[in-house]
Amino acid sequence: MAFKIIASQCTQCGACEFECPSVAIKFKGERYVIDPDKCTECKEAFDTQQCASVCPVPKTCVPA
């Protein structure tokens, strides 16, 4: 399973892109997206998902 970004809630601040240890988050078009093939949910690196922990808007980075 991977995480996804709720585009309608995203402020496009970019914090998640730089925190992702899997380099799974990219800015495409006019929004940030998480590549489900690269997303590891930070399971091997952290106790919590880094995208969700740094996002200023609660529940914007959520399980897909």
Side-chain angles (χ1 to χ4, degrees):
M1 192 148 168
F3 266 53
K4 67 178 180 177
I5 297 171
I6 307 297
S8 62
Q9 294 178 198
C10 180
T11 63
Q12 299 177 350
C13 70
C16 60
E17 180 179 19
F18 301 106
E19 288 296 320
C20 181
S22 305
V23 192
I25 302 173
K26 298 287 181 201
F27 191 74
K28 290 190 177 181
E30 296 182 7
R31 61 190 183 117
Y32 281 94
V33 294
I34 298 176
D35 182 338
D37 294 327
K38 291 183 178 180
C39 179
T40 63
E41 295 185 17
C42 300
K43 287 184 179 176
E44 295 154 18
F46 298 95
D47 292 332
T48 60
Q49 291 73 32
Q50 296 302 288
C51 58
S53 69
V54 299
C55 183
V57 183
K59 298 183 182 172
T60 297
C61 295
V62 295

